[in-house]
Amino acid sequence: MPKYKIIPPIICLCLDKRKEHWKELQRQAELLGLDFTPYICGNGEDSELKYNQIDEVNPDVSGWMYSAPGHQINHYNALNGHKGMIALAKERGLDSVLLMEDDSLFLQRFDQVVSTLEKYDEWVEYLRKFHLVYLGWWRGSETDEFNLAVEENYKTYKNIVGLEIIPGDGVGGLHGCIIRKELYDLILSCPMNDPLDSQFNRNRANIPSLIICPKIIHTKDMYSYCEGINLCRKRLDD
C-alpha cells in the first residue's frame, strides 16, 4: 500500500550519461516509500541499461521555439521523453503520475509537508481538482520577493499554501510535477516545437494548475544539456 495518498507513482526522465544521479534519486524515493520507474533515454550505447528511448541525432528543429542557441535537439529529445513518460503512465492505467527528472532531489521537508497536507481531507480533495500540481517549480527569480517570502513563511511559521496558477504567471519546471490522466491525451498531442512547460504556459487557461508552497522537490547544481550551461540553484534550507 502506498505510503502517501497524494503522491502518485513516479516516472523519471533519466539520461544514460547521468546514471549515478538517477540511481541516487531512486534510492531517495524508495526510502520515502515511493514507487519509482526510470524512463531511460540516451544514445543506446550503455549495454547495462534497458532503454525506453534512443535519442534522435538529427530531428527537424527548424520550427523550434524556446531554446538556447544550438541546443534545440536536446530540448526536442527531452520533449519526446516527456511524451513517452506520459504514454507509459497511460499504458499502465495510472490516474496520476509524478514526473521527475534525473537532476531532481527531495528536500528534507518533503515528508513533513506531505504528511501535514494529508491530515486534512479538504486538502486531499482540493488537490484532486487540479490537473497539474507542482511540487517543484520555477516562478520568477529564486531571489525575488515572492520566492523569498515563500521560504521565510515556511521557515518561520511552517506555512503551507496551495497557489492557483493563472494565465500569465509563467511557471516552469517538470522536475516534480503531478499530472492527472485528464491531461495525458493533450500532452501526447503536443507539437514537437517547444518544451512541454512552455506549452503548458500558453494553454494555462485550459489547465487547472497549482503550485505547492514551499517547494518540496528541488534540483541539484549541475550541467544542463538543454540550456548548455552549469545551473546553480539557490540552496533551500529546511
Side-chain angles (χ1 to χ4, degrees), residues 99-114:
L99 256 57
M100 297 187 73
E101 297 175 333
D102 58 15
D103 62 346
S104 307
L105 59 88
F106 295 97
L107 294 173
Q108 292 181 16
R109 65 183 72 156
F110 183 93
D111 181 72
Q112 191 274 329
V113 171
V114 174

Side-chain angles (χ1 to χ4, degrees), residues 23-230:
K23 285 186 177 291
E24 172 57 30
L25 180 61
Q26 185 170 13
R27 283 191 288 271
Q28 293 176 18
E30 290 170 352
L31 287 172
L32 287 165
L34 299 173
D35 183 316
F36 183 100
T37 298
Y39 188 90
I40 302 173
C41 307
N43 60 19
E45 295 178 359
D46 190 330
S47 60
E48 296 180 357
L49 299 177
K50 183 177 179 180
Y51 284 80
N52 299 93
Q53 172 181 306
I54 305 301
D55 287 343
E56 295 193 36
V57 177
N58 191 31
D60 179 9
V61 293
S62 57
W64 195 267
M65 299 172 72
Y66 170 82
S67 178
H71 293 276
Q72 291 90 340
I73 291 174
N74 293 333
H75 275 292
Y76 180 100
N77 284 316
L79 175 58
N80 219 18
H82 289 136
K83 293 173 77 169
M85 295 156 74
I86 293 301
L88 181 57
K90 184 176 179 179
E91 177 186 316
R92 291 184 175 178
L94 299 179
D95 289 337
S96 304
V97 62
L98 173 55
L99 256 57
M100 297 187 73
E101 297 175 333
D102 58 15
D103 62 346
S104 307
L105 59 88
F106 295 97
L107 294 173
Q108 292 181 16
R109 65 183 72 156
F110 183 93
D111 181 72
Q112 191 274 329
V113 171
V114 174
S115 297
T116 299
L117 293 176
E118 291 191 347
K119 287 179 182 177
Y120 305 97
D121 291 339
E122 297 88 347
W123 257 112
V124 175
E125 290 303 315
Y126 179 64
L127 292 176
R128 287 182 182 146
K129 293 169 45 180
F130 295 93
H131 296 172
L132 286 180
V133 179
Y134 292 86
L135 308 181
W137 41 269
W138 309 120
R139 183 180 187 271
S141 164
E142 291 184 274
T143 56
D144 66 17
E145 183 178 1
F146 171 79
N147 281 271
L148 294 176
V150 167
E151 288 301 310
E152 184 60 29
N153 285 336
Y154 179 73
K155 182 178 180 180
T156 305
Y157 306 108
K158 292 295 184 281
N159 281 354
I160 302 169
V161 177
L163 180 64
E164 188 168 354
I165 305 168
I166 60 174
D169 270 351
V171 171
L174 292 171
H175 54 282
C177 184
I178 296 173
I179 298 180
R180 309 293 186 203
K181 65 181 180 181
E182 288 84 356
L183 285 185
Y184 291 175
D185 288 339
L186 175 66
I187 292 169
L188 294 173
S189 67
C190 282
M192 295 296 296
N193 64 4
D194 210 13
L196 186 55
D197 48 1
S198 296
Q199 299 197 48
F200 284 158
N201 278 324
R202 284 201 303 276
N203 200 24
R204 191 69 72 186
N206 301 310
I207 302 175
S209 307
L210 189 83
I211 61 175
I212 296 297
C213 303
K215 302 172 181 179
I216 55 176
I217 294 175
H218 200 35
T219 62
K220 298 178 180 178
D221 292 348
M222 66 166 56
Y223 180 79
S224 167
Y225 289 96
C226 284
E227 303 301 331
I229 57 174
N230 286 304

